[in-house]
Amino acid sequence: MPGVKSPSAAPTVAQVCLGLSDPTRLSLLARLGREEVCVCDLQAYVDRDQPTVSRHLAMLRKYGLVTYRKEGRWNHYRRARLSPALTRIVDLAAPPRRRSPGSCC
């Protein structure tokens, strides 16, 4: 798919564990769930500045846990497709966020 960046190889268990080893990265993964989210929304969710969020997202990309799509100046992130076993590990560590009724995002 044009404009979508993803890792070339599936992440290993060790890479997943490195990606999950930080509370901010766990929060980011929990917010992402299966939907696409803009970096500005992620900043507000974890209450961190843009450079910090970008650094954590870069690590998650490096470990193969997220993919992103660039649209103009904005990057939109979503969880990567993982094997069922790795998806279970990620979901146990950072359960997908449930949308509340009336939520705009």
Side-chain angles (χ1 to χ4, degrees):
M1 181 184 323
V4 175
K5 312 274 193 225
S6 61
S8 58
T12 64
V13 173
Q15 288 172 318
V16 170
C17 290
L18 284 170
L20 300 176
S21 67
D22 182 89
T24 300
R25 289 194 296 271
L26 279 175
S27 294
L28 290 169
L29 284 171
R31 172 63 183 93
L32 289 172
R34 301 276 186 266
E35 63 189 9
E36 191 174 77
V37 182
C38 181
V39 173
C40 59
D41 293 332
L42 294 170
Q43 283 177 242
Y45 184 76
V46 295
D47 194 29
R48 300 277 193 259
D49 61 9
Q50 184 273 326
T52 300
V53 171
S54 291
R55 189 176 67 249
H56 283 295
L57 289 168
M59 291 185 78
L60 291 170
R61 279 194 324 262
K62 176 183 173 182
Y63 299 136
L65 296 173
V66 299
T67 60
Y68 74 102
R69 175 180 62 83
K70 191 163 186 73
E71 186 177 307
R73 294 178 35 190
W74 304 104
N75 287 329
H76 301 271
Y77 286 82
R78 73 172 50 234
R79 277 198 204 175
R81 288 187 183 146
L82 303 172
S83 70
L86 291 180
T87 298
R88 182 151 168 73
I89 290 169
V90 170
D91 285 345
L92 286 170
R97 180 180 154 249
R98 304 277 188 254
R99 274 200 252 180
S100 43
S103 173
C104 66
C105 305

